[in-house]
Amino acid sequence: MLLTISTTHFPADDLSYLLHKHPGKIQSVDISAGKVHIFYPEVNQLKCTAALLLDIDPVGLVRSAGPKGNDFALEQYVNDRPYVASSFMSAAIAKAYSSALNGRCKDKPELGDVAMHFTVKLSVLPVKGGEDILRSLFEPLGYQVSATQHPLDPAFPEWGNSRYFTVELSNRLTLQQLLSHLYVLIPVCDNDKHYWVNQEEVEKLFAKGKDWLEMHPAKEIIVRRYLKNQRSLANQALGILLSKDEAEEAVENETTTEIATDVEEPQLRIHELRLHAAKDELLLAGAKRVADLGYGEGKLIKLLLAEKQFEFVLGMDVSYRSLEIAKERLKLERLPEKQLQRVRLIQGSLTYRDKRLDGFDGAALVEVIEHLDEPRLAALERSVFEFAKPTTIVITTPNAEYNVRFADYQEGKMRHNDHRFEWTRKEFESWGTDLAVKYNYNVIFKPVGEVDPEVGALSQMAVFSRRDVTVEKLV
Ligand code: SAH
């Protein structure tokens, strides 16, 4: 496993001072899982490249205190660890480049603070969640990212892509900043079992991330993945890093991700997209009194309340816990009287006719229908379309076809343990069209998220408009 760091800063061979490694020698150090070799494939005043070759000893790995894995019997002998950048690479960086990582440069101390142009190449980096995640981790820190994804097996292109990337990162910064980013973010990309899992790691995370983590838009993912499987440590870290509001949100997210299966959807982003798509449709339809049916944590309600067009927003969810979380999230207790009159949260089930849902001109069901089994879905159809019959109804649900694009796709496995079904575009369109005909609505279908030419977008949306009501659309 190879990591190279190049600079064209003049004189480029200053890099060897910064790294405390002689440019004319090959040097080796031991880490628990194997050996690290450091050498310079090119060194002159115009360009200098330092290579760190991590040679993991697969047998040593089995004997060491590292992660064993328990996915299948021979996993501890047959795994990708020797061939990819993982938390072992961070250990290698910390050991081989320890002075540089701590910002010390013994012979030329002034160099430690100099921002230089660096290019880093990682020959094989596993990235759970794909290129989007990779970019969301490095781009906010100013990196230019170029990534080549490798197929699972070039002989069988139909198997699709693997989670392995060859990655090139360029940026202008100090070497200490660069190494601290790599130290934290390589295991975050990998998101496999890390060999570290103790209290000390929280401290290391803060030490390495002190100047940049707090401002990083993806800090929550970073902390959770870095402290993988250590929920209490992650919460502790988030408690320090995030503001109170953000921390509460993080804990709530955790309760939802807890029951999520391993199939990883770039959840945060796509979920934001769905919520905004639903809000935009309701705005466009000219709706003034709107209902969020199955509001979960109340995220959509928060977005809706920010729009003046919506005079009244009702949230209904079957779960009492949702009610408590949303109340807190929306700070209902602290809202000024006028705002408070615009919103109401109720507990109730969409599978029963409920008079409190009468008289709305817009309703959204964002990622709700797939949580209901067939008889309950039929009951929901009646209570929403036959009895409540809001003028516009926006429904979103996952597009099952897209699941093959997830890094750890398994046939038949759904995105969430609680999903009773996930539909293809055809299935959703057929369901929606029948419903529209039956209850006298027009319907159009839209993708949510970037559209893949073969399998469509991550999520799909149907917008129903009642035929017997003429609305002035706001275009
Ligand atoms: N719309 C939210 C939550 C989606 S999760 C969001 O996009 O973030 C599905 C939600 O539907 C959960 O909060 C669950 O409690 C709610 N739900 C499931 N069955 C329901 C029913 N019969 N009536 C009302 N809400 C229901």
Side-chain angles (χ1 to χ4, degrees):
M1 177 50 231
L2 191 64
L3 161 78
T4 62
I5 299 177
S6 308
T7 185
T8 46
H9 174 82
F10 189 83
D13 49 1
D14 269 352
L15 183 60
S16 65
Y17 289 99
L18 276 165
L19 290 173
H20 289 230
K21 291 284 172 282
H22 194 290
K25 292 188 197 157
I26 296 181
Q27 289 157 84
S28 303
V29 293
D30 289 320
I31 62 165
S32 66
K35 268 196 180 315
V36 188
H37 308 285
I38 304 107
F39 56 96
Y40 292 80
E42 65 183 323
V43 48
N44 58 57
Q45 291 205 319
L46 298 179
K47 187 165 182 204
C48 180
T49 299
L52 186 156
L53 179 73
L54 173 56
D55 186 12
I56 287 187
D57 165 18
V59 178
L61 200 60
V62 174
R63 298 206 183 115
S64 77
K68 297 285 188 283
N70 49 8
D71 293 347
F72 62 99
L74 286 174
E75 192 188 345
Q76 54 174 325
Y77 296 99
V78 186
N79 61 57
D80 65 359
R81 300 294 89 184
Y83 316 107
V84 302
S86 68
S87 55
F88 293 120
M89 180 53 92
S90 300
I93 291 172
K95 185 86 183 266
Y97 297 151
S98 76
S99 304
L101 181 59
N102 291 308
R104 288 193 304 268
C105 184
K106 197 169 78 200
D107 293 330
K108 295 193 173 186
E110 69 286 358
L111 279 181
D113 295 328
V114 179
M116 303 179 179
H117 186 270
F118 286 109
T119 301
V120 171
K121 279 190 196 161
L122 282 155
S123 53
V124 190
L125 178 67
V127 187
K128 192 163 185 196
E131 193 170 335
D132 282 353
I133 287 276
L134 178 73
R135 290 187 182 280
S136 73
L137 295 174
F138 284 98
E139 284 178 348
L141 296 167
Y143 288 86
Q144 275 194 341
V145 177
S146 112
T148 312
Q149 190 167 14
H150 298 289
L152 266 177
D153 187 333
F156 298 96
E158 65 277 15
W159 290 0
N161 279 325
S162 69
R163 64 190 191 106
Y164 302 112
F165 288 79
T166 295
V167 173
E168 190 173 305
L169 305 163
S170 311
N171 199 0
R172 193 179 176 76
L173 70 185
T174 67
L175 182 62
Q176 194 251 338
Q177 287 169 325
L178 172 73
L179 293 176
S180 75
H181 297 159
L182 295 174
Y183 179 91
V184 174
L185 295 181
I186 287 174
V188 166
C189 286
D190 175 36
N191 199 33
D192 205 314
K193 301 169 188 81
H194 304 325
Y195 83 99
W196 57 53
V197 269
N198 58 29
Q199 177 72 35
E200 235 179 86
E201 276 317 314
V202 176
E203 281 146 36
K204 281 197 199 160
L205 177 63
F206 286 117
K208 306 287 179 278
K210 67 176 185 297
D211 299 324
W212 54 273
L213 191 51
E214 202 174 337
M215 306 303 289
H216 199 299
K219 61 191 164 201
E220 196 190 324
I221 290 192
I222 296 174
V223 171
R224 284 212 187 290
R225 286 187 167 197
Y226 183 88
L227 300 170
K228 193 168 163 106
N229 299 335
Q230 292 291 300
R231 193 171 306 137
S232 61
L233 288 184
N235 284 342
Q236 181 190 335
L238 287 168
I240 304 171
L241 264 185
L242 307 179
S243 68
K244 184 166 174 291
D245 271 6
E246 288 173 319
E248 279 168 11
E249 197 166 310
V251 171
E252 289 163 25
N253 284 342
E254 186 203 7
T255 43
T256 22
T257 43
E258 209 177 2
I259 42 172
T261 59
D262 273 337
V263 181
E264 192 173 28
E265 184 182 1
Q267 260 162 358
L268 291 177
R269 290 234 214 125
I270 184 67
H271 196 58
E272 291 292 306
L273 277 180
R274 283 181 199 122
L275 299 174
H276 282 276
K279 179 199 72 179
D280 290 345
E281 290 299 333
L282 293 174
L283 279 174
L284 201 66
K288 295 199 165 81
R289 286 173 55 82
V290 289
D292 182 10
L293 306 178
Y295 59 74
E297 299 162 3
K299 288 185 183 165
L300 179 60
I301 299 183
K302 195 167 177 177
L303 290 181
L304 296 174
L305 285 173
E307 301 291 341
K308 286 207 181 79
Q309 180 182 317
F310 302 126
E311 292 166 3
F312 183 70
V313 181
L314 174 84
M316 177 158 119
D317 201 290
V318 75
S319 143
Y320 185 69
R321 183 160 158 66
S322 284
L323 190 70
E324 288 185 320
I325 293 175
K327 247 187 191 165
E328 187 57 29
R329 176 190 289 273
L330 299 168
K331 302 187 179 61
L332 285 194
E333 258 108 60
R334 278 163 276 167
L335 277 190
E337 189 57 32
K338 204 166 159 217
Q339 285 298 320
L340 198 57
Q341 281 172 4
R342 281 179 70 213
V343 55
R344 188 169 167 221
L345 299 184
I346 57 173
Q347 193 186 4
S349 174
L350 293 165
T351 53
Y352 296 94
R353 179 177 187 176
D354 194 322
K355 285 209 169 314
R356 294 173 297 179
L357 300 183
D358 289 354
F360 284 87
D361 42 19
L365 292 96
V366 177
E367 309 295 288
V368 173
I369 58 169
E370 65 276 7
H371 291 269
L372 283 85
D373 52 30
E374 224 171 272
R376 292 199 305 144
L377 182 60
L380 175 144
E381 290 165 21
R382 290 199 68 193
S383 67
V384 174
F385 284 83
E386 184 179 340
F387 300 119
K389 45 179 200 294
T391 319
T392 302
I393 305 171
V394 183
I395 297 186
T396 78
T397 194
N399 165 21
E401 291 165 79
Y402 195 92
N403 293 357
V404 295
R405 292 287 182 261
F406 296 137
D408 27 18
Y409 166 71
Q410 284 173 26
E411 206 180 332
K413 191 167 178 181
M414 289 193 238
R415 298 183 193 180
H416 205 287
N417 280 341
D418 193 44
H419 285 178
R420 304 304 152 96
F421 60 84
E422 282 172 2
W423 280 336
T424 61
R425 285 167 291 177
K426 215 167 155 197
E427 286 168 323
F428 183 48
E429 286 168 22
S430 142
W431 174 80
T433 310
D434 288 351
L435 208 56
V437 170
K438 189 165 175 191
Y439 295 109
N440 204 25
Y441 277 80
N442 291 321
V443 62
I444 51 166
F445 300 92
K446 296 184 178 183
V448 185
E450 205 175 313
V451 178
D452 178 295
E454 278 166 47
V455 297
L458 260 162
S459 204
Q460 45 187 343
M461 176 166 76
V463 184
F464 297 87
S465 342
R466 235 170 82 187
R467 286 208 197 126
D468 57 348
V469 184
T470 14
V471 264
E472 231 176 86
K473 291 223 169 191
L474 306 178
V475 183

